[in-house]
Amino acid sequence: MRIAHVSTFPAMKCGIAFYASDLVKALPQAQHETYALHYGKNVTRGATNHANVNNYLSVRTLAQAVSRSAVDVINLQHEFGIWGGLHGEHLLDFLNHVGKPIVSTLHTTFEPAARPAIQTALLRRLVEHSATTFVLSPASRDTLCMALQLPRDAIAVVPHGVPNIHYVPPVPPTGRHPWRFCAIGFFRPNKGIEETLQAFAMLRNEGIPFHFTMVGSPQLQFAGQDTYLSSLQHLVTTLDLTKEVRLRRAFLTRDQQLAVIQSAHAGVFAYQDPDQSSSGTIPLVLASGRPTICTPFEYAKAKARELGNAVWLAQSFDSRAIVQVLKQFIAARTAQVQLSKELYRSTRSWLWSEVGRTYQRAFIR
């Protein structure tokens, strides 16, 4: 079987790019062609073809190139920002000019009327055009089916894949080893980093020792993200958190990401969009045997329903709610250390090898 993968790829620093790359590796029995989406910079070297999504004609030409190829099926990744146009509408230029069956993965879903009507229409068009549509959690399926008025069996669920991680138990917190929290990913607005820092300032004021590390890089394809990181570093200084908090700018390898995660007791993710329906970093933290502390966005709530007390949910999105759940987590000290190995075991079904088999079945239908 020959598969055309239409997505961003790791020359572009975004989570979907790495999802697509990992999925290619999870399908060793297939032949692969890559059709890379980009914004006029960081073009993927060695791609079969590519499109600048800022130009609808480039996206249309990419669809025509895929259609002329010898591929059997298209594996299409979707998030509005990677398709260009004000609302992601250049996707229509692809769908209207492509002539191969599509298996699509939707990384963004939302409640009815939560987004502009054109985005709901775009999702409906993509689902109608796809032989199979995947989302990353049962909650996302329910949300999408409600938004598009579809039966639940119209959408399939696949977990976000994770590598086969070697288990490292957490070091129990002591006077010499305080509570350690981490976050990895991209520094960008709407991830609630400011609220997280405010929460840690409150925790410090209560005399609870801790250390928080966030490592990642700005996404320079988007304007303003370099200066955003500078504003966060200024906030750390203003809150007098320079001893407790480290914001490190670095684009980490997977092994380096795992080292940061496994040196911590938990990950902290405070997305401010209630409809945030996917994450590549949360499953990586959970699959390492580390709980997560999250604001109540859709993906976090879905994982809390699946894994119980491995996902600690704040009651709301503000710093006071975040510090409350941090304190609750710390108070459950013994239970958290004991449950780490159980959490690690419960996520083995998320391995990319298992996810690859799920996609393989969809491709051969």
Side-chain angles (χ1 to χ4, degrees):
M1 170 170 288
R2 186 178 291 273
I3 303 168
H5 298 271
V6 181
S7 176
T8 53
F9 285 92
M12 295 292 301
K13 290 182 171 62
C14 74
I16 293 175
F18 293 96
Y19 186 98
S21 178
D22 285 334
L23 181 54
V24 169
K25 296 171 188 173
L27 296 162
Q29 63 275 62
Q31 295 177 289
H32 304 281
E33 295 183 6
T34 55
Y35 292 80
L37 307 175
H38 61 85
Y39 304 91
K41 59 178 76 173
N42 299 326
V43 180
T44 301
R45 294 181 179 178
T48 308
N49 211 318
H50 62 87
N52 181 342
V53 298
N54 294 318
N55 184 335
Y56 74 93
L57 290 175
S58 182
V59 175
R60 182 180 299 180
T61 300
L62 187 75
Q64 294 165 342
V66 176
S67 299
R68 290 193 301 267
S69 74
V71 302
D72 301 297
V73 63
I74 294 169
N75 174 39
L76 184 150
Q77 305 299 322
H78 180 267
E79 194 279 328
F80 295 101
I82 71 170
W83 280 96
L86 184 61
H87 297 291
E89 63 269 21
H90 292 173
L91 171 67
L92 293 177
D93 291 280
F94 185 86
L95 296 179
N96 290 339
H97 293 85
V98 74
K100 300 282 185 176
I102 293 175
V103 171
S104 59
T105 304
L106 277 55
H107 296 260
T108 301
T109 57
F110 45 83
E111 298 285 347
R115 294 283 189 96
I118 186 175
Q119 292 195 331
T120 301
L122 285 169
L123 289 186
R124 179 176 285 107
R125 179 79 172 87
L126 179 54
V127 171
E128 290 172 349
H129 206 101
S130 300
T132 300
T133 299
F134 284 113
V135 293
L136 300 181
S137 75
S140 290
R141 175 176 59 189
D142 293 344
T143 298
L144 184 64
C145 289
M146 180 170 57
L148 302 184
Q149 298 181 324
L150 296 171
R152 291 181 82 251
D153 60 4
I155 306 296
V157 177
V158 63
H160 193 298
V162 296
N164 192 5
I165 301 165
H166 173 70
Y167 177 69
V168 176
V171 176
T174 64
R176 292 182 57 192
H177 300 282
W179 286 99
R180 300 184 69 87
F181 301 96
C182 74
I184 56 173
F186 299 108
F187 289 103
R188 70 170 187 267
N190 206 34
K191 294 185 75 169
I193 304 171
E194 296 91 342
E195 296 292 339
T196 300
L197 295 176
Q198 294 280 359
F200 278 123
M202 296 178 199
L203 197 67
R204 188 272 321 279
N205 291 343
E206 295 197 26
I208 300 173
F210 69 91
H211 191 271
F212 173 62
T213 298
M214 181 170 182
V215 188
S217 65
Q219 293 174 289
L220 298 181
Q221 64 266 34
F222 302 118
Q225 293 210 3
D226 231 2
T227 55
Y228 176 65
L229 177 54
S230 297
S231 72
L232 292 176
Q233 292 166 333
H234 177 71
L235 181 59
V236 169
T237 301
T238 302
L239 294 173
D240 195 23
L241 286 172
T242 53
K243 292 182 179 179
E244 294 87 1
V245 172
R246 184 187 186 196
L247 302 182
R248 178 185 165 203
R249 176 174 175 161
F251 188 72
L252 301 184
T253 66
R254 183 61 52 78
D255 286 345
Q256 290 170 331
Q257 289 179 329
L258 293 174
V260 171
I261 293 167
Q262 293 179 327
S263 69
H265 297 101
V268 181
F269 300 92
Y271 286 97
Q272 297 293 290
D273 180 0
D275 292 324
Q276 178 73 33
S277 59
S278 67
S279 170
T281 50
I282 289 175
L284 195 63
V285 172
L286 293 169
S288 298
R290 301 297 189 269
T292 59
I293 294 163
C294 302
T295 48
F297 54 91
E298 182 178 284
Y299 187 79
K301 291 192 293 185
K303 288 303 169 190
R305 285 192 288 270
E306 181 180 348
L307 297 170
N309 58 4
V311 180
W312 292 67
L313 291 177
Q315 292 299 305
S316 63
F317 293 84
D318 61 90
S319 57
R320 292 189 180 279
I322 296 169
V323 75
Q324 282 300 115
V325 77
L326 281 167
K327 290 163 62 178
Q328 291 165 9
F329 174 83
I330 289 169
R333 174 179 181 272
T334 303
Q336 284 308 308
V337 173
Q338 291 174 341
L339 287 172
S340 175
K341 190 62 177 289
E342 181 182 330
L343 172 58
Y344 173 81
R345 289 172 177 158
S346 69
T347 58
R348 295 308 86 196
S349 62
W350 302 356
L351 292 179
W352 272 114
S353 56
E354 295 295 324
V355 171
R357 281 190 274 272
T358 299
Y359 273 94
Q360 181 69 22
R361 290 191 290 270
F363 292 144
I364 63 177
R365 283 183 181 175

